[in-house]
């Protein structure tokens, strides 16, 4: 019997063994039901009670944006930022230096960071760096950019001229 | 000397995979969640993939320890390790913060986990290339007997 055939048979037997063992385990994997990633489960998006950075929902953040009472920071890629972002948002990817935009953000009473993913991983990293840079009230937007769009939050497109123009 | 190293690789790899499977068995639901968190497998397939991984780890690991079907078992585990490495790397590159799900428990995924998988992959490929299993030991014993009697 060829090596590949024996490997295939071993695999098939292993799969059968795994499915059989699942029937006897105290906490089986739910066969026949979908399992979503933790960050994609309803209500779990970015809402970790242990998170080191405070959260803010789209419903709470939208009025702050309309009243210019908060500065927004977009933690997605420059291309995604250019395609569309929260009106007036500055851009800062997790790998970029924050020195250029920090003076502007210090003048804002609240800074709201958002990214693309519902787990807020990139926004969390940027928010932590802003906190380390001396920004006191930093929040991460739950639901990220997709929820901002779905909630009818104001947006605009184009690259970030203020991000490279210094403190003017 | 090389034969002894390869036998050690076979036994250690086998033990690691049996341990990994046994550690996951009591809470397969948690392992399915770990698989889902890599965000590569469609939600409906996640529980089946979780069961398949545990079953294959258990069977191939036991085969390596017992020295049976060594070459196919090492090949299967090499394939599994290549997939693990790809899954871990994409998650780390995408900035997804997750548990690796390797041996049950809460071990976070990191580049150290990737390096460990690559080292195990190299060992599995070495064992697949020159399997030192039960058949090899029987052949070696027969050769020793015929040499001493002749």
């Amino acid at each position: 019997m060829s090596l590949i055939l024996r490997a295939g048979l071993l695999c098939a037997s292993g799969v059968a063994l795994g499915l059989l063992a699942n029937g006897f385990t105290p906490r089986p994997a739910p066969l026949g039901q979908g399992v979503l990633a933790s960050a994609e489960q309803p209500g779990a998006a970015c809402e970790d009670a242990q998170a080191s950075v405070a959260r803010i929902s789209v419903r709470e953040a939208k009025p702050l944006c309309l009243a210019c009472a908060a500065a927004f920071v977009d933690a997605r890629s420059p291309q995604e930022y250019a395609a569309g972002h929260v009106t007036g948002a500055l851009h800062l990817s997790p790998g970029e230096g924050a020195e250029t935009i920090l003076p502007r953000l210090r003048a804002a009473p609240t800074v709201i960071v958002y990214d693309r993913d519902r787990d807020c991983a990139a926004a969390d990293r940027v928010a932590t760096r802003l906190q380390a840079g001396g920004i006191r009230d930093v929040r991460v937007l739950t639901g990220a950019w997709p929820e901002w769009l779905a909630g009818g939050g104001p947006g605009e497109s184009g690259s970030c001229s203020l991000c490279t123009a210094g403190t003017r | 000397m090389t034969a002894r190293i390869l036998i050690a690789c076979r036994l250690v790899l086998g033990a690691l995979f049996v341990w990994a499977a046994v550690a996951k068995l009591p809470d397969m639901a948690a392992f399915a969640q770990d698989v889902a968190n890599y965000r590569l497998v469609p939600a409906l397939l996640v529980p089946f993939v979780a069961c398949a991984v545990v079953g294959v780890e258990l069977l191939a690991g036991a085969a390596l320890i017992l020295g049976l079907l060594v070459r196919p078992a090492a090949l299967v585990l090499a394939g599994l390790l290549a997939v693990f490495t790809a899954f871990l790397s994409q998650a780390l590159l995408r900035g997804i913060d997750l548990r690796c799900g390797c041996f049950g428990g809460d071990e976070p995924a990191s580049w150290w986990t990737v390096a460990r998988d690559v080292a195990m992959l190299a060992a599995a490929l070495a064992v697949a290339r020159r399997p030192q299993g039960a058949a090899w030991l029987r052949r070696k014993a027969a050769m020793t007997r015929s040499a001493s009697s002749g």
Side-chain angles (χ1 to χ4, degrees):
Chain A
M1 212 182 334
S2 79
L3 175 64
I4 300 295
L5 186 60
R6 280 185 293 164
L9 281 175
L10 190 74
C11 260
S13 309
V15 172
L17 178 67
L19 290 170
L20 186 71
N22 191 54
F24 293 95
T25 180
R27 291 199 67 228
L31 299 175
Q33 295 172 34
V35 179
L36 289 169
S38 303
E40 290 167 350
Q41 286 170 2
C46 196
E47 290 169 12
D48 181 3
Q50 306 294 316
S52 58
V53 183
R55 289 352 193 180
I56 187 167
S57 68
V58 168
R59 190 173 51 80
E60 296 165 307
K62 212 165 118 183
L64 296 179
C65 178
L66 295 170
C68 295
F72 283 73
V73 175
D74 187 313
R76 298 174 300 157
S77 69
Q79 294 78 14
E80 286 169 311
Y81 176 91
H85 53 262
V86 173
T87 303
L90 299 172
H91 177 258
L92 181 67
S93 293
E96 280 182 306
E99 298 75 23
T100 317
I101 66 168
L102 272 175
R104 284 183 183 283
L105 297 179
R106 283 196 189 107
T110 301
V111 173
I112 300 171
V113 189
Y114 66 93
D115 64 11
R116 165 200 340 114
D117 292 322
R118 286 174 169 271
D119 65 1
C120 305
D124 262 333
R125 288 210 298 278
V126 167
T128 307
R129 280 181 43 221
L130 294 180
Q131 282 178 328
I135 309 292
R136 281 186 176 178
D137 188 6
V138 183
R139 319 271 182 96
V140 163
L141 186 69
T142 55
W145 172 246
E147 205 156 297
W148 180 264
L149 273 184
E156 61 183 6
S157 59
S159 59
C160 183
S161 55
L162 295 174
C163 302
T164 50
T167 51
R168 282 194 292 192
Chain B
M1 185 61 188
T2 311
R4 283 183 186 176
I5 293 171
L6 286 173
I7 289 171
C9 280
R10 168 170 71 78
L11 293 174
V12 170
L13 264 182
L16 280 173
F17 274 96
V18 169
W19 173 34
V22 169
K24 288 167 197 148
L25 271 175
D27 197 348
M28 293 288 279
F31 179 55
Q33 188 59 66
D34 289 339
V35 173
N37 287 344
Y38 281 91
R39 296 195 230 168
L40 279 182
V41 180
L44 271 174
L45 288 181
V46 164
F48 292 97
V49 170
C51 293
V53 168
V54 171
V56 171
E57 283 182 339
L58 190 60
L59 200 63
L64 285 190
I65 293 172
L66 297 172
L68 302 169
L69 293 170
V70 171
R71 186 168 256 176
L75 205 63
V76 165
L77 291 182
L80 211 52
L81 284 162
V83 172
F84 291 167
T85 306
F87 268 53
L88 279 165
S89 302
Q90 67 81 31
L92 292 170
L93 289 172
R94 287 163 71 193
I96 301 174
D97 185 17
L98 77 169
R99 300 187 311 179
C100 85
C102 311
F103 295 96
D106 287 331
E107 182 191 355
S110 65
W111 287 110
W112 150 246
T113 326
V114 176
R116 188 180 64 195
D117 279 359
V118 170
M120 287 168 71
L121 173 60
L125 287 174
V127 172
R129 192 161 165 263
R130 291 184 62 187
Q132 318 277 337
W136 176 84
L137 288 171
R138 277 197 300 274
R139 272 201 308 276
K140 196 178 175 198
M143 281 167 65
T144 312
R145 273 199 304 275
S146 64
S148 60
S149 63

